[in-house]
Amino acid sequence: MEFYLAKLISRVQFSWQYFQTDTIYIFHCQQLLHKYTKLDKYHDLSFIAILGKIEYSWKVLFRKIWTKKMTTVRQQNFLLRKEKILSMAESLLLDNNQDITLSELASELDIAKGTIYKHFKSKNQLYLELIILNEKRILEISKKYNNDIKNYVSQYMLYHMLNSNRTILLHVIEERLTNNEKNLKDLFQELYRIREERIIRIKDMTHDYLVALESAMSIRDYLSYIWTVTYGASLLLNSTNYQKAIGSRERLIKLYINQALMTP
């Protein structure tokens, strides 16, 4: 009998230490165990009843937590698969330097095309989520370099120019989606929210920089100028006609960054 009780106590303690959750059930088990310590005779019928209650409570607890854990595992696998789809879609897009098909994507991932539709209702949604993912990376730059405008501008431009084909493709796709896609309003709102957050993070830094230079440019105009220079440089760096004439890409990238930093 003592062995049986010790086993049940061990199970309850394991549940508490490992899961650290479902405190209502844990508390109930602990109350029952506390009540047992006040019993003097092992053969007491109330003791047998308590053992049964403890075991029942533990089983309920375990089933509940196990269900939660399995649900969490499925959710994690679902998210991991979505990340893999986005990653492969971005790679294919950049390798092909043009639109991709969901059939190509499914083939590369070795999954059924229908699996992709479990995550994305359409190719346009997939594209827009790629754009959002890219915007989140740019947001991270603004978080990391929000104390020095020159560092921020340099890192922002480098991110775009070192991956000029990605910059151009995603911009072209976004323009197309903005004009033609009417069913992804929530995703567009998320995209604009991320951009707004980025602007807010660098707003004060940009303002102080412009004031220090006694510039008449507004924050919006200055940031628009940085984007214009960056996108123009990306177009040049990505142009097959200019590849040979460009010479050193690194030197040209540095030149454009210096040009941007000389203004205003």
Side-chain angles (χ1 to χ4, degrees), residues 81-139:
R81 187 169 59 192
K82 182 177 181 179
E83 288 175 6
K84 286 181 180 179
I85 293 172
L86 283 170
S87 178
M88 180 58 72
E90 185 176 39
S91 297
L92 282 176
L93 193 64
L94 298 183
D95 290 343
N96 296 344
N97 210 28
Q98 59 184 4
D99 273 354
I100 60 173
T101 67
L102 294 185
S103 297
E104 286 179 287
L105 182 56
S107 176
E108 287 292 329
L109 289 165
D110 197 24
I111 59 176
K113 188 177 176 180
T115 303
I116 297 177
Y117 282 110
K118 291 180 181 178
H119 298 271
F120 308 97
K121 293 179 180 179
S122 65
K123 187 168 72 171
N124 281 351
Q125 181 184 344
L126 173 63
Y127 279 159
L128 190 49
E129 293 209 31
L130 273 179
I131 293 168
I132 289 171
L133 178 62
N134 187 62
E135 200 63 37
K136 285 179 179 178
R137 294 171 187 155
I138 302 171
L139 174 61

Side-chain angles (χ1 to χ4, degrees), residues 95-236:
D95 290 343
N96 296 344
N97 210 28
Q98 59 184 4
D99 273 354
I100 60 173
T101 67
L102 294 185
S103 297
E104 286 179 287
L105 182 56
S107 176
E108 287 292 329
L109 289 165
D110 197 24
I111 59 176
K113 188 177 176 180
T115 303
I116 297 177
Y117 282 110
K118 291 180 181 178
H119 298 271
F120 308 97
K121 293 179 180 179
S122 65
K123 187 168 72 171
N124 281 351
Q125 181 184 344
L126 173 63
Y127 279 159
L128 190 49
E129 293 209 31
L130 273 179
I131 293 168
I132 289 171
L133 178 62
N134 187 62
E135 200 63 37
K136 285 179 179 178
R137 294 171 187 155
I138 302 171
L139 174 61
E140 289 304 311
I141 294 174
S142 71
K143 290 178 181 179
K144 188 174 181 179
Y145 301 97
N146 63 350
N147 294 318
D148 186 332
I149 188 65
K150 292 188 175 181
N151 276 342
Y152 168 75
V153 169
S154 297
Q155 294 301 319
Y156 172 84
M157 294 183 71
L158 279 172
Y159 175 81
H160 286 290
M161 290 190 290
L162 291 176
N163 300 277
S164 55
N165 57 333
R166 178 183 61 199
T167 298
I168 295 162
L169 277 170
L170 293 184
H171 179 71
V172 170
I173 291 171
E174 183 183 344
E175 288 292 309
R176 187 178 70 214
L177 295 180
T178 302
N179 293 327
N180 302 322
E181 181 58 64
K182 307 299 180 186
N183 299 319
L184 298 173
K185 291 182 180 179
D186 290 344
L187 285 177
F188 274 114
Q189 286 177 358
E190 183 181 356
L191 175 63
Y192 300 147
R193 180 192 59 77
I194 294 169
R195 284 184 178 155
E196 183 180 4
E197 182 181 350
R198 175 169 60 87
I199 298 302
I200 289 171
R201 285 186 175 273
I202 62 174
K203 181 180 177 182
D204 291 341
M205 172 179 67
T206 308
H207 173 266
D208 293 344
Y209 176 70
L210 294 172
V211 168
L213 295 177
E214 299 180 351
S215 171
M217 291 183 76
S218 66
I219 295 173
R220 180 184 295 274
D221 288 344
Y222 179 67
L223 295 179
S224 296
Y225 165 75
I226 296 300
W227 165 245
T228 302
V229 173
T230 302
Y231 189 69
S234 298
L235 285 170
L236 184 61

